[in-house]
Amino acid sequence: MSRVLVVGGTGLAGRAVTAEAVERGHDVVVAARRVPDDDSEQYVTGATYVTADIVTGDGLEEAVDGVDVLVDTSNGVGKQAANVFATGAQNLVHTAARFGVRRAVLLSIVGADQSAYTYYRAKAAQERAYLDSALDTRIVRATQFHDFVTAIFDRGRPLGALLSPTGTRFQPIAVSDVARVLVDVVEDESGEPDRVIHVGGPRVESARSLAEQHKRASGSRRFILPVRLGGALGSTWRAGRNLVPEHAVDGVGYGTWLESGARA
C-alpha cells in the first residue's frame, strides 16, 4: 500500500478521500492548517494529521517527506481562492517533486477550463500548475456535489423559498463516489501520465426537478422560486458545461442521498 498525503483533508471532499484511503489500507497523512480533535467530525480514525500551510509553505516539507502520492482537495473562498489555488499549488508541486513524490491527484470541477467565472479561472490555474510540474499528474474533474446543489436551493431559506436556477441542469454526485474515483486513481498504475478524468453523477436533471425532490424528501413547506443566475457562472451552467453524461458513475443518486438524511 502507498503512503498518501491528503491536502485539505479536513474539508468535505478531503474527509471522504481520507476515509476511503484508510479503509483500503493505505498509510494516510492529512495536511491541514489546523489539526482536528480526535472527537471532531473532521477527524478520520486511522489517519495521521500534520500541520501545514500550502500558501506560506510552513510544514510542507515535513508533510510530503516519504509520501508516494499527493491528493489535493484544497479549497479557498472569495478573494482567498486565487491565492490558495495558484500559490498553494506551486508550493505543493515544487516541494513534492523535491521530495520524490511520484504522483499527484488533483480534485477539480467539470467546466473549470471553459468558464470566465472567477472561481473556475482560479481552479484552471491550479490545474495548469500541476500539469506543468515534474509530477505524474492526474486531474479528476467532478460535477457538483449533492451537498452543493442542496446549498443552492437553501439560499432561499430567508425568503421561505427554495431557489431554483432557471435554464439549468445538474448532474449531482455523492462526495463518497468522488472519493472512490480519486482513490482508484491513486492506485491505478496502468494509465498515461498527466491525464484529465471526468466524473459525474448517475443522472442529469433540471434544477427544478432536483428542487422538487429536495422539497418532498425534507417535507419542506417552502415554495420553489425560479431565479435566473447571472454572470459567468450562470452562463456556464445554462450552456451545460457543468455536465458530462458520458462519464456518469453508477453511484448514489440525489434522491437516494436525500432519503438517507434530507435537510428541511
Side-chain angles (χ1 to χ4, degrees):
M1 292 292 110
S2 299
R3 184 173 177 85
V4 179
L5 174 66
V6 182
V7 176
T10 57
L12 179 65
R15 293 196 305 273
V17 171
T18 299
E20 180 74 17
V22 167
E23 183 177 343
R24 297 197 198 183
H26 293 286
D27 178 12
V28 182
V29 179
V30 174
R33 286 186 298 169
R34 299 178 187 84
V35 173
D37 296 330
D38 57 11
D39 60 349
S40 166
E41 67 175 10
Q42 295 178 316
Y43 183 87
V44 176
T45 301
T48 300
Y49 288 79
V50 298
T51 302
D53 189 318
I54 62 174
V55 175
T56 65
D58 293 342
L60 277 188
E61 292 188 347
E62 294 80 2
V64 303
D65 191 14
V67 166
D68 299 305
V69 183
L70 159 68
V71 181
D72 188 352
T73 64
S74 60
N75 194 20
V77 294
K79 295 179 180 179
Q80 182 187 41
N83 197 31
V84 170
F85 293 147
T87 304
Q90 291 290 348
N91 286 338
L92 270 171
V93 297
H94 291 157
T95 306
R98 284 196 293 111
F99 277 77
V101 175
R102 63 180 174 83
R103 177 177 299 165
V105 181
L106 172 65
L107 174 61
S108 190
I109 308 167
V110 167
D113 61 331
Q114 303 177 60
S115 176
Y117 181 49
T118 302
Y119 184 86
Y120 281 24
R121 289 171 61 187
K123 287 296 292 184
Q126 183 190 37
E127 290 185 1
R128 288 194 296 272
Y130 274 89
L131 292 172
D132 291 344
S133 75
L135 301 175
D136 169 8
T137 293
R138 314 291 168 86
I139 295 172
V140 177
R141 292 179 183 155
T143 54
Q144 281 67 44
F145 297 158
H146 294 327
D147 313 72
F148 179 82
V149 171
T150 300
I152 293 172
F153 300 149
D154 283 347
R155 294 192 67 175
R157 188 181 291 273
L159 302 174
L162 296 168
L163 293 190
S164 175
T166 58
T168 300
R169 296 180 298 159
F170 292 111
Q171 191 179 349
I173 189 169
V175 174
S176 58
D177 287 327
V178 175
R180 174 171 50 82
V181 171
L182 286 165
V183 180
D184 284 346
V185 174
V186 166
E187 298 176 345
D188 181 24
E189 300 295 339
S190 62
E192 293 296 323
D194 295 345
R195 288 192 302 148
V196 178
I197 300 157
H198 293 86
V199 58
R203 293 183 62 187
V204 174
E205 300 183 77
S206 69
R208 175 81 189 199
S209 173
L210 293 165
E212 289 171 347
Q213 292 175 51
H214 175 46
K215 182 174 180 175
R216 286 195 301 271
S218 64
S220 174
R221 295 184 178 181
R222 288 181 284 155
F223 67 98
I224 296 174
L225 177 63
V227 176
R228 180 178 173 83
L229 183 64
L233 182 60
S235 297
T236 297
W237 287 353
R238 284 191 296 275
R241 291 193 288 270
N242 59 322
L243 309 174
V244 282
E246 68 277 19
H247 297 292
V249 298
D250 182 17
V252 180
Y254 187 65
T256 301
W257 177 81
L258 287 170
E259 291 169 4
S260 69
R263 298 191 301 168

